[in-house]
Amino acid sequence: MRVKTRIVKVDPLGREESLLIPCAEVLRRGGLVAFPTETVYGLGANALMSEAVSRIFQAKGRPQDNPLIVHVSRPESVAPLVRDIPQGAVRLMEAFWPGPLTLLFAKSDLVPDVVTAGLHTVAIRMPDHPVAQRLIDLAGVPVAAPSANLSGKPSPTTFEATLADLEGRVDVIVDGGPADIGVESTVLDISGPVPRILRPGGLSPEELRKFLGEVEVAADTPHQGPPPSPGMKYRHYAPRGHVYLAVGSPKEQAESIGFHAARHVILGEKVLILASSENAPEYAPLAGRWPDRLSVLDLGPRDDLPRVASRLFAGLRYADETGAGVILAESFPEHGLGHAIQNRLRKASGGRTLRPAERAEMNILLVCTGNTCRSPMAEALLRAIWQVECSEIHLNAWSRGTSASDGMPATPEALKAMAARGLDLSGHRATTVSEEDLSQADVVITMTEGHKDSLTRRYPAHAGKVVTLAAASGGALPGDVSDPFGHSQDAYDRTAQDLDTGLRAFCERIKRVI
Ligand code: AMP
Ligand code: MG
């Protein structure tokens, strides 16, 4: 259901109380109000009203089993919401509130189950933002508020990003300028013998350790059993394109990102690189070569992690604005805010990484229909051309058919056409393509548009890797490679010549980027 969203622009210092009073009234009566905090924008509802809280889940499309954080404007507001306040929590609240630290408490009956998704604990924090504080204070009720994004998308750090996601879905959006920290709060569980960070965030583990001594950080992706915090099991912070996270030293990351950026551009993808300031100049030549296909966003220096954190979600959202199908992100040092940055990047990437070694090897699958003529010839030709043009990179090339008679040798005409070039196809046996082939390949080159359609329909998850030889050749080959099967030796020789032209142009393009 669409609602009319009122926009209220306020002074970021929260001084315009007259503007905030009506927003607070909307909150208190059960409406939805998005507002800035120091971490990210939040989407708030009266935490004591089940129906109001349910509307948050609807507006965001948030899974019902992912609990919300309750926001208070003063520490005294915690007592009615919890069974008791352990001494450890009192000390943490004194030290870090207001601020980006969320604490778990045993919940009281006052807190509706919908807030905690049925858990017996409630997560509470006091934001350090004058607008959030005044708004909650004026509402006079605790405010349940997850990040103000559509579920699964990067959290909004600006009014504009909040508006883009929630216009028509919430009653009010308060524009109080950009959020300062840029990543969400740290969620801390102090119920066990060792305090445990369930979600790294704006308060670093190091700062907590200074205060608490030992502190554990829960793994990003729990392997078995229920996750300690329900939010951990969801794919999060993800733009529409696929995110790949580079690992290794800064130099290795620049190398693998450069290589994969070029590969994806050649495959016809639009690529965005999320770079550190140190490595950003390394990508300038690529961006210069393909200005409309590849862009680079400088997230900030590796030694200024607060800056990187504050730009991260905007960077992930920028990917959607540019229409990038592939986002290649650098890793940042995992200390201080780097824990939160890496956690968000890993979630956004869904586990896709670029490893340094990947640069040295390229896996290319060639596909035709029967795997007895075109693709085996293409495989042999590619190996031969590659040896001359791209020898720095190890090539694994193999060929398959979309509907092959498994075990058939290459046709005598194909053998002959290759023998004329000193290449031997006698050991070849036809094989039908499988999902496994597509998983192993970095690039899948098809002989025709028809083969490409058939593969992308069968294996949509790998669609981004599949390209026709005509496209891979950058236009050197004007269209489909025609099927010589059943035709004369002449037809085979002409097909071999087309394959040679297309593959040579493809190798040239690869060579220019290595
Ligand atoms: P968001 O408000 O969108 O930043 O998400 C809140 C995060 O806090 C999610 O990861 C939740 O799973 C987590 N959370 C909220 N309440 C609890 C709780 N009672 N126990 C564990 N995690 C919680
Ligand atoms: Mg969120």
Side-chain angles (χ1 to χ4, degrees), residues 33 55 68 87 146 166 169 405 433 448 496 501:
V33 178
R55 289 184 60 207
L68 307 178
Q87 201 42 43
L166 295 184
R169 294 170 172 264
S405 303
V433 69
T448 66
T501 306

Side-chain angles (χ1 to χ4, degrees), residues 57 60-68 116-119 146-147 149-155 184 198-199 219-223 225-239 313 342-351:
F57 287 88
K60 283 187 54 125
R62 183 175 175 107
Q64 291 288 341
D65 63 350
N66 194 3
L68 307 178
T116 63
L119 296 176
S147 50
N149 50 285
L150 292 176
S151 193
K153 297 235 285 175
S155 304
E184 300 89 339
L198 301 184
R199 174 180 75 180
D220 286 342
T221 38
H223 295 294
S229 177
M232 293 168 79
K233 69 174 185 244
Y234 295 107
R235 179 159 183 253
H236 247 113
Y237 319 115
F313 285 136
Q342 287 297 99
N343 168 275
R344 305 305 186 268
L345 282 172
R346 278 194 288 265
K347 295 255 161 165
S349 70

Side-chain angles (χ1 to χ4, degrees), residues 76 169 182 308 335 401 414 417 499:
E76 306 87 274
R169 294 170 172 264
V308 176
H335 56 74
L499 291 170

